[in-house]
Amino acid sequence: MGNYWPSWRTIHYGYDIWVLRLADRKAQPFLRTPFNESVPRFFPDGHWLAYISNESGRYEVYVQPYPGPGGKWQISTEGGTEPAWNSNGQELFYRSGTG
């Protein structure tokens, strides 16, 4: 579904990633594309978001700054799912490949 940060929560809604601001309970889109983005995970400091997308034709892991501005970086190269940040913020783990 998503993960928490002290002032917001990510929400996977359909094929998009939304952010729910906890202060005013207002949801706003963060990623809206024709592709399926899901499994959003905030970096421990809350300024980066890892997620998966099938925009390349298969699921890969991407990272981009939150709330922006800035582009995204593709992290995985041969398929990737289930991104998870190390609690020290120095590493991003994910499941790679297709099996």
Side-chain angles (χ1 to χ4, degrees), residues 16-35:
D16 300 318
I17 295 174
W18 288 59
V19 175
L20 175 66
R21 294 185 314 242
L22 298 179
D24 59 9
R25 311 285 297 162
K26 297 214 181 217
Q28 62 187 41
F30 178 66
L31 289 172
R32 293 175 80 180
T33 73
F35 307 106

Side-chain angles (χ1 to χ4, degrees), residues 18-73:
W18 288 59
V19 175
L20 175 66
R21 294 185 314 242
L22 298 179
D24 59 9
R25 311 285 297 162
K26 297 214 181 217
Q28 62 187 41
F30 178 66
L31 289 172
R32 293 175 80 180
T33 73
F35 307 106
N36 185 2
E37 285 88 19
S38 62
V39 194
R41 297 291 180 255
F42 275 110
F43 183 76
D45 73 0
H47 296 291
W48 294 90
L49 190 69
Y51 60 93
I52 63 171
S53 174
N54 66 348
E55 72 178 80
S56 71
R58 67 177 168 200
Y59 283 101
E60 300 286 357
V61 175
Y62 295 84
V63 172
Q64 72 181 73
Y66 180 84
K72 65 179 178 271
W73 287 271

